[in-house]
Amino acid sequence: MNPLIVVTGGTKGIGRAIVDEFIKQGFDAVVCSRNVDGVEGPNRLPFAADLSTRAGVDSLVTYVQSLGRPVAVLVNNTGIFLPGQINNEAEGTFETMMNTNVASAYHLTRGLVGQMMARREGHIFMMCSTASITAYTNGGSYCISKFALLGMSRVLREELKPHGVKVTAILPGATLTASWEGTDLPEERFMKADDVAATIWAAFTLSKSAVVEEILMRPQLGDI
């Protein structure tokens, strides 16, 4: 039986690249997003859920557990970006961003990590951002949520050390995904989603005695 990876936000961009990379390496993938139309092909297990809600996270946990298979890798990739400043962003922006970018990862990890701890193996990847370490004026609640996600990653790392479960935070800069559609910047100014996926695969393949705790990636020419 193939090992199993669970990827949230796995239908496009970095999430889809991660799914494709791990399937290429012999995995089956649970691919979760609000809309999984078009998720086809062997080794893909699509599951539609709104992970900004607790009910959506719980439904995904129940589905994964119903498979009766150990989860080798969990990628908490679900995220949303809404520009604005703390002093003027729309009411509810903070709650939307925290529920989607932070609470989803918190509750999903809690739902699946127990089996990893019992087996003393597994790898959790947290999709942070350069916004996890660099504040910018149009980042508002997005920066807050990504700082929080990096903090959660560091706490998880400390908690899971003695249980044999690895935790890696990845902090990518500008990556050419749908969120940059319409930009006037040249394609070569961005990282490729495949680069992020390849980096995650490389971190996963280390021996049990080593873990990459944090990965900071930027375009060669720096931040945009």
Side-chain angles (χ1 to χ4, degrees):
M1 183 180 295
N2 292 337
L4 185 67
I5 182 173
V6 176
V7 183
T8 64
T11 59
K12 58 185 179 180
I14 292 173
R16 181 169 181 172
I18 294 168
V19 169
D20 290 345
E21 177 65 29
F22 274 75
I23 286 177
K24 183 176 71 175
Q25 301 292 350
F27 274 68
D28 292 339
V30 173
V31 182
C32 183
S33 186
R34 285 186 177 91
N35 186 338
V36 293
D37 291 346
V39 177
E40 304 172 339
N43 309 106
R44 287 168 171 79
L45 303 169
F47 187 82
D50 180 358
L51 299 186
S52 69
T53 69
R54 180 63 185 274
V57 175
D58 288 347
S59 68
L60 176 57
V61 170
T62 299
Y63 171 71
V64 173
Q65 291 175 340
S66 75
L67 298 175
R69 299 172 58 179
V71 176
V73 182
L74 168 61
V75 182
N76 284 307
N77 176 64
T78 290
I80 187 174
F81 170 71
L82 298 173
Q85 299 181 5
I86 293 172
N87 72 89
N88 62 19
E89 59 190 9
E91 185 67 30
T93 297
F94 175 81
E95 289 79 7
T96 297
M97 214 87 70
M98 293 299 289
N99 286 336
T100 307
N101 298 353
V102 184
S104 64
Y106 174 86
H107 292 299
L108 182 57
T109 299
R110 280 168 55 88
L112 298 180
V113 74
Q115 292 183 354
M116 292 181 175
M117 295 169 68
R119 300 193 321 270
R120 298 191 59 79
E121 63 179 8
H123 202 146
I124 300 171
F125 289 91
M126 307 287 273
M127 191 59 62
C128 298
S129 167
T130 52
S132 296
I133 57 172
T134 304
Y136 55 96
T137 56
N138 205 38
S141 290
Y142 179 75
C143 285
I144 294 172
S145 70
K146 289 299 184 178
F147 267 78
L149 191 62
L150 179 58
M152 188 196 309
S153 303
R154 291 173 174 173
V155 173
L156 270 176
R157 165 67 179 143
E158 294 304 315
E159 289 181 358
L160 298 179
K161 277 180 182 178
H163 300 284
V165 180
K166 298 183 181 184
V167 179
T168 299
I170 183 160
L171 292 71
T175 307
L176 192 59
T177 63
S179 62
W180 285 96
E181 285 180 357
T183 182
D184 294 330
L185 293 170
E187 183 176 330
E188 59 269 20
R189 187 64 181 84
F190 297 85
M191 295 190 300
K192 293 178 172 59
D194 289 346
D195 292 327
V196 181
T199 301
I200 287 176
W201 173 255
F204 172 72
T205 59
L206 298 180
S207 72
K208 285 190 174 184
S209 61
V211 61
V212 179
E213 293 183 322
E214 295 176 9
I215 304 172
L216 176 61
M217 299 181 68
R218 287 191 171 99
Q220 171 60 22
L221 293 176
D223 288 330
I224 294 175

